[in-house]
Amino acid sequence: MKARSVLAASAAVTCLALPALAEPQAEVLHWWTSGGEAKSVAVLQEEFAERGGTWTDMPVAGGGGDAAMTALRARVLSGNAPTAVQLKGPAIQEWYEEGVLADISEVAEAQGWADVLPDQLAAHMKCDGSWCAAPVNVHRINWIWGNKEILDANGIEMPTTWEEFNAAAEKLQAAGITPLAHGGQAWQDATVFETVVLGLGGAEFFQSALVDLDPEALGSDTMKAVFDEMRTLRGYVDDNFSGRDWNLATAMVMNGEAAFQIMGDWAKGEFLAAGKVPGEDFTCAPTPGEGFLYNVDSFAMFEVDGEDKQAGQALLAELIVGPSFQETFNLNKGSIPVRSDVSLEAFDMCAHISAEDMAADSENGSLLPSYAHGMALRGEPAGAITDVVTAHFNSEMSSDEAVEMLVNAVAAAQ
Ligand code: GAL
């Protein structure tokens, strides 16, 4: 862990006030560019404009946000940080330690965030006790999406074990259907990998391996079994998977070109944006195994000069956690509200499963942060794991070799 500098400490105590006569302005960096994502972020733009705000959009395409984070670094290094940035997990604290984040505690306290946000999730939004990010939603990672017509026609139920998944995939393959729509990008490989870690290893194993980075768990036979399953899954994707964007993989399931996709529930936002109905056109089920991998999108405000920009930051923070935005945004995005007091009446069956499982898993200690989506680990160890996962998926590497490489890479990254 990096020590906080004196500069960081003094920067972090500058509070965002709401200047009376300022005209709110915000330049917002985000990576929500797919159909469902764009529809969702438009909700925030509209609410911001309704309150007199001027929004300058800075979308950086690329699922998972890797390209957006590269763009952010360039902007901050050139001394020209965007006013608001889609940022989440420990990356929030990493940026805070650089001394470049604004404190949004004043808004958070005025709006009573502590009363409406679950503690475990609110903790991600805090930096040394002050509020440094505004949470948008709760995405669940461990989902399988299925094409209903294909599954029905082939007499296949949503799998509840990885063996069942493999058996279904073999059956589909024999019938000439691509079992798994996948986009060969490192973050998508990591997304599938973490669902297999949870599914085969269980919640405690996930915690030890991908949160606590315990070398024994990373080097275990269970981890070898995870890589075995990844090799099996590799056999179920089509030949053109390499480099494919996640939303194009979702479209394959939508259009009947593949049966399943393993992806967080922003995939549902994509189905919904295309007019598809859960339970009729597509199905959702948790990936095999217990537990809930969460991914909470949030926005952090960067230190900027000017009352208009600071007013924009305060307004954005207020809107983001506001109940109206939380409902409308999440209906589009595929996630569920992060506020515990928003009614789920208007939400679909997948959202209900998500909310019920989240409550149960929170009780059971199996509500876990996603490593693949930057909720569990800082950049370096997360990147080291993903490099191994993707190298294994795209080669003939054995599970023994992968596990050895994993242990070494994680040790070197700490
Ligand atoms: C995730 C993000 C989601 C979704 C996804 C694909 O990291 O949290 O909101 O946008 O990437 O881009």
Side-chain angles (χ1 to χ4, degrees):
M1 239 210 224
K2 282 175 242 161
R4 286 184 51 216
S5 64
V6 175
L7 175 72
S10 64
V13 293
T14 321
C15 265
L16 273 185
L18 271 166
L21 297 171
E23 292 177 10
Q25 280 183 9
E27 186 194 9
V28 186
L29 192 163
H30 62 89
W31 64 90
W32 286 333
T33 56
S34 77
E37 289 174 334
K39 222 175 145 185
S40 310
V41 74
V43 175
L44 188 57
Q45 298 180 1
E46 280 156 26
E47 288 200 5
F48 194 65
E50 273 163 26
R51 294 276 299 271
T54 306
W55 174 294
T56 307
D57 207 29
M58 192 188 168
V60 181
D66 294 338
M69 292 301 101
T70 306
L72 171 62
R73 183 145 292 279
R75 285 286 301 267
V76 177
L77 284 179
S78 68
N80 178 27
T83 36
V85 177
Q86 185 186 351
L87 195 66
K88 55 187 179 167
I92 300 169
Q93 285 75 30
E94 287 183 296
W95 279 109
Y96 169 78
E97 287 160 13
E98 307 258 347
V100 290
L101 291 194
D103 184 343
I104 55 174
S105 298
E106 195 168 316
V107 179
E109 277 152 27
Q111 303 292 322
W113 290 3
D115 301 329
V116 292
L117 300 177
D119 290 345
Q120 186 175 348
L121 305 185
H124 290 286
M125 312 297 143
K126 300 276 189 70
C127 295
D128 277 345
S130 64
W131 292 88
C132 48
V136 175
N137 61 0
V138 182
H139 269 306
R140 184 184 200 172
I141 303 298
N142 51 321
W143 282 114
I144 299 189
W145 309 94
N147 176 301
K148 184 94 169 52
E149 202 180 313
I150 294 182
L151 299 184
D152 288 351
N154 289 277
I156 291 171
E157 302 275 322
M158 289 301 264
T160 57
T161 64
W162 286 99
E163 276 173 8
E164 275 178 30
F165 182 90
N166 298 344
E170 303 287 340
K171 192 172 174 187
L172 289 161
Q173 223 161 24
I177 298 160
T178 299
L180 187 60
H182 181 66
Q185 295 174 346
W187 72 271
Q188 294 186 62
D189 300 339
T191 300
V192 174
F193 171 77
E194 72 174 349
T195 72
V196 179
V197 170
L198 179 67
L200 291 181
E204 268 180 48
F205 179 76
F206 185 97
Q207 172 79 32
S208 311
L210 297 184
V211 183
D212 300 338
L213 301 178
D214 170 12
E216 247 177 67
L218 291 169
S220 65
D221 288 346
T222 305
M223 193 57 87
K224 285 183 193 161
V226 169
F227 280 106
D228 289 347
E229 179 61 23
M230 289 300 286
R231 178 64 67 240
T232 303
L233 293 177
R234 172 69 177 78
Y236 300 148
V237 307
D238 69 320
D239 289 343
N240 298 322
F241 79 103
S242 196
R244 175 187 290 137
D245 287 330
W246 67 271
N247 52 319
L248 299 182
T250 310
M252 289 172 71
V253 177
M254 250 185 246
N255 302 334
E257 290 161 44
F260 296 116
Q261 183 184 19
I262 297 170
M263 186 49 65
D265 41 21
W266 47 92
K268 191 185 75 183
E270 225 45 32
F271 282 108
L272 298 179
K276 305 290 179 191
V277 179
E280 286 177 26
D281 303 311
F282 69 98
T283 49
C284 56
T287 48
E290 298 297 311
F292 187 115
L293 298 182
Y294 67 83
N295 171 26
V296 175
D297 284 308
S298 48
F299 281 85
M301 309 302 157
F302 278 66
E303 284 255 309
V304 285
D305 290 330
E307 287 199 344
D308 290 349
K309 288 180 179 172
Q310 287 167 2
Q313 293 178 321
L315 178 56
L316 268 184
E318 181 193 325
L319 292 174
I320 284 170
V321 188
S324 130
F325 170 75
Q326 289 266 325
E327 180 177 15
T328 318
F329 173 90
N330 284 302
L331 282 168
N332 286 313
K333 188 69 167 70
S335 36
I336 56 174
V338 64
R339 278 181 87 106
S340 48
D341 62 347
V342 175
S343 162
L344 292 182
E345 214 181 307
F347 284 75
D348 60 37
M349 59 181 258
C350 310
H352 283 269
I353 296 174
S354 189
E356 280 156 28
D357 287 357
M358 184 174 144
D361 284 307
S362 173
E363 286 281 304
N364 299 338
S366 43
L367 177 62
L368 294 157
S370 158
Y371 118 78
H373 290 273
M375 295 302 300
L377 299 170
R378 286 182 173 238
E380 280 192 38
I385 296 171
T386 302
D387 286 349
V388 177
V389 169
T390 207
H392 168 268
F393 199 71
N394 291 292
S395 70
E396 298 302 314
M397 189 190 294
S398 72
S399 299
D400 282 339
E401 283 172 282
V403 158
E404 193 189 332
M405 202 188 243
L406 186 65
V407 172
N408 294 337
V410 169
Q414 281 181 92

